[in-house]
Amino acid sequence: MNKSVSESFMNSCRSGDTSSAMSQVERVGVNYQEVTGATGLMWAVFKGHNQLSLCLLSLPDIDVNTKSHKLGTALHWAVAAKNVDMIKIKIPLRL
């Protein structure tokens, strides 16, 4: 995989650029993990980009049980960020 595409995807997820992230997700893979084990969903949830999080959650291959090396699953990231919308409504529906 092209490293610049994967870095661009992760940066889009961190910044909440839904259009850019969704245009790159097929090339990278929705469950792509960077060196820390973090996925795009984890960053989107942590940064409060709930629209992007919902888009990623709607993809059929999303694995919400993927764990990063230190913080755990996307649900753990949501708890750490106090992202109540994703904690209460969105992520548990996919478990």
Side-chain angles (χ1 to χ4, degrees):
M1 172 191 337
N2 184 331
K3 186 175 180 179
S4 64
V5 174
S6 58
E7 287 176 4
S8 180
F9 170 71
M10 295 303 282
N11 286 334
S12 295
C13 291
R14 279 189 279 272
S15 68
D17 187 341
T18 301
S19 177
S20 178
M22 296 309 290
S23 72
Q24 299 172 67
V25 72
E26 281 191 32
R27 287 180 280 162
V28 175
V30 68
N31 299 309
Y32 170 78
Q33 291 179 275
E34 60 188 9
V35 69
T36 64
T39 65
L41 175 62
M42 291 171 189
W43 279 115
V45 166
F46 187 78
K47 296 286 191 169
H49 305 307
N50 293 348
Q51 179 184 359
L52 174 55
S53 299
L54 291 172
C55 289
L56 293 170
L57 285 167
S58 74
L59 297 174
D61 293 336
I62 189 79
D63 181 359
V64 296
N65 295 311
T66 299
K67 293 181 180 178
S68 67
H69 301 311
K70 292 189 177 183
L71 198 50
T73 67
L75 180 57
H76 294 117
W77 285 59
V79 170
K82 298 178 181 163
N83 186 338
V84 177
D85 288 337
M86 297 309 291
I87 294 167
K88 288 175 36 177
I89 300 169
K90 309 304 178 198
I91 295 176
L93 294 176
R94 296 298 307 256
L95 295 175

